Amino acid sequence: MKIITLNSEIEIGKAVGDRFCALLQKKSAAVLGLATGASPLPTYQHMISRFKAGDVSFAKAHTFNLDEYCDLPAAHSQSYRSFMHAQLFSQVDINPENTHFLDGNAANEALECSRFDALIEHLGGVDLQLLGIGRNGHIGFNEPAETFSQGSYKVKLAPSTLEANSGYFEGEHMPTHALTMGVGAILRAKEIVMVATGAAKAEAVKAMIQGENTPQLPASALQNHPNVTIYLDPAAASLL
Ligand code: F6R
């Protein structure tokens, strides 16, 4: 694991956004693994400004998002599809048909998970995967568990995740389940970048980097990946 501590989330967004742009400049049809939440926002902002400057095109890229809520209409403002549209896709030249999500409303969830995993493989696998980390060490929506998950599957969200994300729903009922890429599938990405900022992530960051490799702290699985860079701000790095 390579650890890089930068002064602010804006600096992290520039560094990580530049990595995505460099990949697209080298490989226009790259497969990008994307995340939602607060951590990737400065990265997406930087990618948008590089696109507007004419430095990079997303026209041939494919994207796969890590996760999606179950039982939430795709058009709901808090669906991850809506989030990605608002925060990135509507502001760059990506082909909407090339943006891939797990369908949290699928009638047959197991079939939907297999479809998604097979499509990633069919397109040659994820070239660069962006991750955030939950306060409980989750990646994607892989919550602490007895074993590391492999392919995509349905997960019950942990109490700390419900607490962290319920604010986005502004008093509305928040989904309790999600479909997520598994840890094994995340580890198949050729290259992984994680962004963690703020003191609330410090304990999970320390456990991920310096702790035991255990499914109780899903992000610790990244210790086994040959090409991971963790971008931290001083608060997230404060316990290392
Ligand atoms: C979101 C995702 C989650 C988040 C994590 C951190 O697609 O996969 O693992 O990355 O919950 O969320 P933020 O960045 O909001 O602190």
Side-chain angles (χ1 to χ4, degrees), residues 35-40 66-67 80 131-134 138-141 168 201:
T36 57
S39 307
L66 283 165
D67 39 23
Y80 285 165
L131 296 177
I133 183 170
H138 74 210
I139 49 174
F141 272 144
Y168 293 115
K201 302 291 175 68

